[in-house]
Amino acid sequence: MRRLVFLLPLTLPLLFALLFITLAVLFLIQVGIVSYAYEKLGVPQEHILFLLLLSLLGSYINIPIGTVPGGEMVEATEVVFFGTRYRIPVPLAPRTVLAVNVGGALIPVLLSTYVLLRTGIWIESLIGIGIVSAVVHRLARPVPGLGIAMPLFIPPALAALTGLVLSSEHAPAVAYVSGTLGTLIGADLLNLKRVTGLGAPVASIGGAGTFDGIFLTGILAVLLS
């Protein structure tokens, strides 16, 4: 019987930083700076904060979909990658649970699907997803004890630039879809084979070393657009 795995992939300083960014975005929404951008995504203004908080809370929850050989277990409780510290629990068995993160994968995929169906920007988004996937895949690295990790701010900035270049009218929508789906594909899905043997207790699609990049992409890509 499979059970949900509750794991916070972020250290407290990084979690507080993301909460601060969320509150800052809420302030900007209230003064009307990003309302127009989120309206381009088709998200009602009163639901924006709810989605951001739901994504943060959802980062705790991983839905197991299988297991792979874990290799040699790593006992470190923290792993540093590109200056960012990630929290790693002590593993109990030499196998890695393959899971889907609710806040970093499930919610962004559902919102991206909604945006695509609402705006019809299929061609621009497919091109943007391809660009972001290729760059992120090249930058993502397997980190022992953690899984797949990537530089924090490159996906949001790249997604925003892609949105601006591909569609001036729907730049926020293209940026969001390209950034979130491109990061998921480039960092996680294309690196599933590299997870085996890293000694990570949970290899979470959209979690651990990619959640922060996906979460910030959803915010910064829209703001930069």
Side-chain angles (χ1 to χ4, degrees):
M1 180 178 177
R2 296 177 179 174
R3 298 181 178 179
L4 296 178
V5 177
F6 294 90
L7 169 65
L8 179 62
L10 309 174
T11 54
L12 285 179
L14 183 55
L15 178 62
F16 286 141
L18 294 180
L19 284 172
F20 174 78
I21 292 173
T22 301
L23 294 176
V25 170
L26 175 61
F27 171 76
L28 294 176
I29 291 171
Q30 294 302 316
V31 298
I33 294 178
V34 297
S35 295
Y36 174 75
Y38 272 99
E39 286 174 4
K40 282 287 189 178
L41 293 181
V43 179
Q45 181 175 330
E46 61 271 17
H47 295 160
I48 296 172
L49 179 62
F50 172 75
L51 285 174
L52 294 177
L53 292 177
L54 187 63
S55 295
L56 274 178
L57 294 176
S59 69
Y60 280 90
I61 306 173
N62 295 291
I63 303 175
I65 58 176
T67 59
V68 296
E72 184 179 354
M73 292 292 98
V74 177
E75 297 182 354
T77 56
E78 288 189 357
V79 173
V80 179
F81 183 75
F82 270 86
T84 303
R85 293 181 179 273
Y86 297 97
R87 181 183 173 193
I88 307 298
V90 177
L92 300 177
R95 296 191 65 82
T96 296
V97 176
L98 189 61
V100 175
N101 187 266
V102 173
L106 188 58
I107 293 175
V109 168
L110 291 176
L111 183 54
S112 294
T113 302
Y114 168 77
V115 170
L116 285 172
L117 292 175
R118 181 184 180 277
T119 60
I121 50 169
W122 296 93
I123 296 178
E124 297 92 335
S125 294
L126 287 175
I127 296 174
I129 290 170
I131 294 173
V132 176
S133 296
V135 175
V136 169
H137 180 61
R138 189 169 185 83
L139 294 174
R141 295 288 184 273
V143 178
L146 173 64
I148 304 299
M150 63 181 180
L152 183 59
F153 289 102
I154 290 181
L158 179 60
L161 179 62
T162 301
L164 288 170
V165 171
L166 294 177
S167 176
S168 58
E169 182 181 359
H170 296 290
V174 174
Y176 181 83
V177 174
S178 300
T180 54
L181 297 187
T183 301
L184 279 173
I185 294 172
D188 286 337
L189 296 184
L190 294 180
N191 284 300
L192 286 180
K193 292 183 178 180
R194 305 172 73 182
V195 171
T196 302
L198 287 180
V202 178
S204 179
I205 299 173
T210 57
F211 168 76
D212 44 12
I214 292 172
F215 181 81
L216 286 178
T217 296
I219 296 176
L220 297 184
V222 173
L223 290 178
L224 291 175
S225 295

